[in-house]
Amino acid sequence: MSHILLVEDDEFVRDMLTQVLERASHTVISAADGEEAIEILRRFKPEVMITDIVMPKKDGTALIAEVAEKHPQLKIIAISGGGRLGPEGYLDLSEALGAHASFKKPIDKEALLMAVDLLLMENEKQ
Amino acid sequence: MGRYLRFCWLPFLVSFLFSGLVLFVWNNLVKQHWANLVQMTRLAERDVLKEIKTRLEFQLNALQRLAARWEVYVHLSEEEWRKDVLAHVKHHPGYRSIQWVDSNYIVRWVVPSGNEQVRNMRADFEARRKEGLKRAEENSALYISPILDLIQGGKGFIVYLPVYVNGKNDGFIVGVIDIYIFLHSILGEYQLSYEILVEAGQEPLYTRAANGHFKPNRLTQHRRLCLNNLKWDVYVQPTSAFIRLEQTFFPELILSGGLFIAVLLAILTYLVQATRQSSEKLRLANEELQHEIKERENAELAKDKLKRALLQSQKLEAIGTLAGGIAHDFNNILYSVIGYTELALEDLPRHSITYKNLTKVIAVSKRGQELVTRLLSFSRQQQHTFEVISLLEVITSTLTLLKPTIPASVEMTLETSVEQAIIKGSYTDLQQVLVNVIGNAVDAIEGKGAVKILLSQVELTEELRQNHPTLTQLSYYLVEIIDNGPGMSKATLERAFEPFFTTKPVGKGTGLGLATAHGIIQEHSGLIGIRSQLGEGTVVYIYLPHWGGGK
């Protein structure tokens, strides 16, 4: 049973991604921003976190930095549609901070699901 | 000081010359006045002489007539003779006495009374008297003695006139003339403006002068009067009163007036010089001012241009930021659309129309994604890696790239006046720019036409810099893409570089080509611009800094 924490401020993307992940037999807990995510992480222990970067309140990169430190066993996937910088900029940064993978929106569904599976497998090995 | 002196030489010269003229005139006037005086004196001299001579002759003639009447007198008494002679004496001043001297040289009759003592005396008691008598007798003609001392004092001359009775000498009529009285009677009141001196030998006979002294001066005129034995030197000169009278102050007036004018002229010349100098200074100052104003105007113009360029780039940056912001949300939207559609696709039979339509939705959405990517690439502040490349190579490779897309009716030519055109930049970005610009040129031509690409090297002239203040390097390469299409209207030209602005029909153009090109060229520290007029075609010009050109 895999639990994925989805952090995404756009409600449609959030809903759509949740459906995609649930159809792939994952359990999804979603948060709308970084603060909510931190809250959820207190109570739940998902295996993977998929987070957007450009978000209000707590920035995605800050979230990643914090999570990587506090929950080192949590696998992090960063996604981004870009902002002032192109998505690459943010994603490179994310990986430097502790994300294990990063994707540019719109994301190839198969690639994302495969990344999730790979990361889950790694988790099981540990 | 030297400059001051140099400045002053002209007034001095002018007044000097003028003074010279004035002096010349004055001198001439003085000379003329003098000449006038001399002339007048000469005339007076002539008159005096004439007067003396005339009187003398007159007197002598009268005396001769008297002598000629001797025959008559013989038959008259002494009394008759005396009466006659006295009348003569009365009419002819100057006689000391008139005598009848007989042929034995004895004085017989004598008038006027008071001279009785000479009666019966010898008339030839003295050498010259004797001479006179003798001569008169010999020549049977009037004889005038030279000036001699008279018995009763004074000087005079004696006139000897032989008289005849029946052809025989009966003695002489002798007239003793006191020269002073004689001359005085002539000249006493004659030509009073002049001083007169009559001399015989060195002895003055008659002097009419101030203080009795005749002092010759430069005006003195002198002539000799010769009559018989009389040799008189007559000197005439104007009295000082006369000179004073004749003196006009005209020459002096001229002199002083002239010198005054000379001074005025000097001042005037100086003033004119000063005015000219100051007006020259004024003119120069004015010129400088004009020049400054022009420079100021030019600076203002340049500033304006720079401001507008800055505004434009700020606008573009603002749009960039906006675009960046929009891009993120847009990506999310696209992602949602694609995502949901994919989900829906999973639930649909593969061969249904709905399935096919939904795949089209995904395809279109992916195009939207491409658009966003391009938009982002425009808005991003990306530092592309620059390399040393050949601009000419970029152009030629782009032309090769575009060759298949260029219709046959469009003639494409490349003219270059440089060999390589080495610059520092991003090959792909510059190629993108050229693809856009050349593509626009080709698209602009409907039907038959020509696109000409010119490559040259230019130095940064003052004019160029003023028109494009953002150019700061010394030398640039200039690429010009010229098409003879319809050209652009002023409104189109103004918005050409605006993102999303396009004149192409919907779906054909994104409106981002020139905007992107602008950003790229700006990153290359160059300049891109358009010159176009409706009906005259279009020229897109790109300046790129020459690499190794230095600052």
Side-chain angles (χ1 to χ4, degrees):
Chain A
M1 208 53 184
S2 52
H3 294 85
I4 301 176
L5 169 60
L6 173 64
V7 190
E8 168 61 65
D9 59 323
D10 188 304
E11 56 174 305
F12 293 105
V13 173
R14 199 171 55 238
D15 176 64
M16 184 268 298
L17 254 184
T18 307
Q19 283 194 46
V20 166
L21 290 167
E22 281 179 350
R23 283 202 193 189
S25 316
H26 300 293
T27 314
V28 180
I29 319 160
S30 59
D33 57 69
E35 275 180 18
E36 263 192 56
I38 297 289
E39 222 6 84
I40 290 166
L41 282 173
R42 277 199 243 264
R43 293 182 276 132
F44 294 96
K45 287 244 179 314
E47 283 87 17
V48 177
M49 176 175 83
I50 301 175
T51 175
D52 189 18
I53 300 296
V54 178
M55 287 190 296
K57 294 191 200 162
K58 210 180 194 88
D59 191 44
T61 45
L63 175 67
I64 293 171
E66 199 181 317
V67 163
E69 198 198 331
K70 285 207 181 124
H71 310 272
Q73 77 285 358
L74 181 62
K75 293 286 187 282
I76 306 169
I77 297 175
I79 62 174
S80 187
R84 193 68 180 89
L85 282 179
E88 290 88 2
Y90 297 113
L91 296 174
D92 287 343
L93 182 60
S94 320
E95 292 202 9
L97 291 171
H100 298 86
S102 59
F103 289 94
K104 262 197 293 200
K105 291 180 193 165
I107 307 167
D108 186 301
K109 189 177 70 168
E110 300 305 320
L112 180 66
L113 291 174
M114 197 146 67
V116 169
D117 287 337
L118 279 167
L119 289 171
L120 284 171
M121 268 199 319
E122 262 188 47
N123 240 9
E124 272 170 33
K125 282 197 187 141
Q126 282 172 355
Chain B
M1 186 62 186
R3 203 199 70 175
Y4 184 68
L5 278 178
R6 242 191 21 220
F7 189 64
C8 274
W9 69 266
L10 188 65
F12 273 131
L13 183 70
V14 166
S15 87
F16 183 72
L17 288 175
F18 190 76
S19 299
L21 182 72
V22 165
L23 281 170
F24 178 73
V25 168
W26 171 76
N27 193 38
N28 273 8
L29 282 171
V30 166
K31 272 202 197 142
Q32 187 157 41
H33 179 249
W34 191 257
N36 276 354
L37 275 177
V38 167
Q39 182 71 352
M40 279 196 294
T41 310
R42 276 215 196 105
L43 287 173
E45 157 84 336
R46 211 184 54 188
D47 283 344
V48 162
L49 218 67
K50 196 157 147 220
E51 191 68 14
I52 297 173
K53 215 173 180 188
T54 309
R55 272 291 301 273
L56 259 178
E57 283 170 353
F58 182 59
Q59 195 139 323
L60 291 172
N61 284 343
L63 200 60
Q64 269 184 316
R65 280 199 303 276
L66 201 71
R69 289 207 294 272
W70 183 254
E71 281 210 358
V72 177
Y73 293 128
V74 169
H75 304 296
L76 295 170
S77 63
E78 184 184 337
E79 287 308 313
E80 293 290 336
W81 182 86
R82 282 174 73 101
K83 220 169 60 182
D84 221 4
V85 174
L86 272 168
H88 173 92
V89 167
K90 199 164 160 212
H91 276 115
H92 300 98
Y95 286 106
R96 185 65 69 77
S97 62
I98 298 184
Q99 306 158 5
W100 171 53
V101 175
D102 67 18
S103 44
N104 294 320
Y105 303 167
I106 307 284
V107 178
R108 297 291 294 278
W109 295 349
V110 62
V111 291
S113 53
N115 289 305
E116 277 71 28
Q117 65 268 28
V118 302
R119 248 191 226 266
N120 299 320
M121 278 181 75
R122 287 200 71 83
D124 62 346
F125 67 91
E126 188 258 330
R128 281 182 285 191
R129 284 166 173 81
K130 198 170 178 179
E131 170 98 16
L133 289 162
K134 272 187 125 172
R135 285 289 188 87
E137 193 179 3
E138 274 168 20
N139 297 327
S140 309
L142 179 139
Y143 178 82
I144 306 173
S145 78
I147 296 290
L148 37 73
D149 296 311
L150 299 178
I151 298 170
Q152 278 149 328
K155 289 199 187 324
F157 60 95
I158 304 179
V159 183
Y160 294 94
L161 279 160
V163 290
Y164 297 91
V165 172
N166 298 328
K168 199 166 151 230
N169 177 267
D170 194 27
F172 310 85
I173 295 291
V174 174
V176 180
I177 295 163
D178 181 325
I179 188 66
Y180 185 86
I181 298 172
F182 176 64
L183 287 175
H184 185 72
S185 70
I186 304 171
L187 303 174
E189 299 292 307
Y190 191 69
Q191 295 280 14
L192 284 172
S193 309
Y194 298 86
E195 287 180 358
I196 304 174
L197 171 68
V198 183
E199 259 183 8
Q202 299 288 26
E203 298 204 45
L205 301 175
Y206 175 72
T207 309
R208 195 187 73 195
N211 302 329
H213 286 331
F214 186 91
K215 280 206 204 77
N217 54 39
R218 289 199 316 272
L219 285 168
T220 311
Q221 296 300 312
H222 162 242
R223 273 178 121 168
R224 216 141 219 228
L225 181 126
C226 293
L227 195 71
N228 228 289
N229 272 326
L230 299 172
K231 288 183 175 46
W232 295 343
D233 293 301
V234 182
Y235 299 90
V236 174
Q237 71 194 26
T239 58
S240 29
F242 182 62
I243 292 173
R244 265 201 306 275
L245 205 72
E246 283 295 300
Q247 191 159 37
T248 60
F249 289 106
F250 186 63
E252 273 68 37
L253 201 71
I254 292 284
L255 182 71
S256 51
L259 290 177
F260 180 68
I261 292 175
V263 168
L264 278 182
L265 271 181
I267 295 173
L268 195 71
T269 312
Y270 178 78
L271 284 177
V272 167
Q273 268 187 311
T275 313
R276 277 242 309 255
Q277 239 204 11
S278 59
S279 84
E280 179 73 19
K281 271 195 198 148
L282 202 71
R283 189 184 69 82
L284 281 172
N286 193 38
E287 259 186 32
E288 255 191 55
L289 195 70
Q290 294 287 6
H291 186 76
E292 235 188 74
I293 289 175
K294 192 142 184 245
E295 275 199 9
R296 196 78 70 79
E297 277 180 354
N298 285 349
E300 286 294 327
L301 275 171
K303 211 168 70 171
D304 269 343
K305 270 212 161 108
L306 201 62
K307 244 201 229 168
R308 275 182 287 151
L310 199 69
L311 205 68
Q312 182 80 340
S313 83
Q314 277 177 341
K315 264 201 234 168
L316 292 176
E317 209 178 283
I319 293 177
T321 318
L322 181 68
I326 290 174
H328 173 264
D329 293 342
F330 205 67
N331 270 333
N332 280 344
I333 292 166
L334 281 178
Y335 187 31
S336 308
V337 167
I338 292 171
Y340 280 120
T341 313
E342 281 178 341
L343 287 171
L345 278 176
E346 283 178 9
D347 303 334
L348 283 175
R350 233 162 221 242
H351 302 291
S352 66
I353 308 271
T354 322
Y355 190 92
K356 286 204 181 86
N357 286 339
L358 287 181
T359 54
K360 298 256 169 73
V361 168
I362 293 178
V364 160
S365 306
K366 288 223 170 105
R367 251 175 60 185
Q369 182 227 336
E370 272 167 43
L371 192 66
V372 176
T373 313
R374 272 208 280 171
L375 174 69
L376 282 183
S377 83
F378 158 75
S379 77
R380 260 180 314 189
Q381 303 281 356
Q382 254 200 5
Q383 194 57 38
H384 295 190
T385 44
F386 277 15
E387 294 164 333
V388 176
I389 53 173
S390 158
L391 182 56
L392 180 60
E393 215 185 85
V394 178
I395 298 172
T396 48
S397 68
T398 310
L399 286 176
T400 315
L401 209 71
L402 290 174
K403 201 151 178 250
T405 64
I406 299 171
S409 58
V410 174
E411 188 193 332
M412 179 75 73
T413 48
L414 168 64
E415 282 177 40
T416 173
S417 58
V418 292
E419 289 228 334
Q420 284 294 328
I422 303 294
I423 61 166
K424 202 152 185 233
S426 162
Y427 192 103
T428 38
D429 286 352
L430 288 173
Q431 198 169 59
Q432 186 181 345
V433 168
L434 286 172
V435 163
N436 265 312
V437 173
I438 298 173
N440 284 349
V442 171
D443 290 344
I445 296 170
E446 283 148 17
K448 208 164 183 306
V451 174
K452 197 155 59 162
I453 303 174
L454 303 174
L455 175 62
S456 56
Q457 185 173 10
V458 293
E459 305 301 320
L460 183 64
T461 60
E462 188 60 38
E463 195 191 330
L464 197 62
R465 205 187 62 77
Q466 272 183 4
N467 284 329
H468 306 289
T470 52
L471 298 180
T472 55
Q473 307 279 17
L474 280 181
S475 90
Y476 288 82
Y477 289 110
L478 170 64
V479 184
E480 290 167 288
I481 298 102
I482 309 163
D483 73 74
N484 58 5
M488 296 188 215
S489 70
K490 199 161 180 215
T492 311
L493 188 57
E494 265 177 17
R495 302 182 67 191
F497 288 99
E498 216 182 282
F500 306 112
F501 176 78
T502 179
T503 54
K504 293 199 176 132
V506 175
K508 276 245 170 265
T510 57
L512 285 176
L514 282 178
T516 323
H518 184 278
I520 291 171
I521 298 296
Q522 224 171 16
E523 277 175 8
H524 282 74
S525 307
L527 181 86
I528 180 168
I530 309 174
R531 282 193 303 271
S532 183
Q533 255 188 338
L534 280 175
E536 307 243 338
T538 304
V539 175
V540 178
Y541 55 89
I542 301 171
Y543 289 93
L544 289 165
H546 167 235
W547 185 75
K551 269 208 187 315

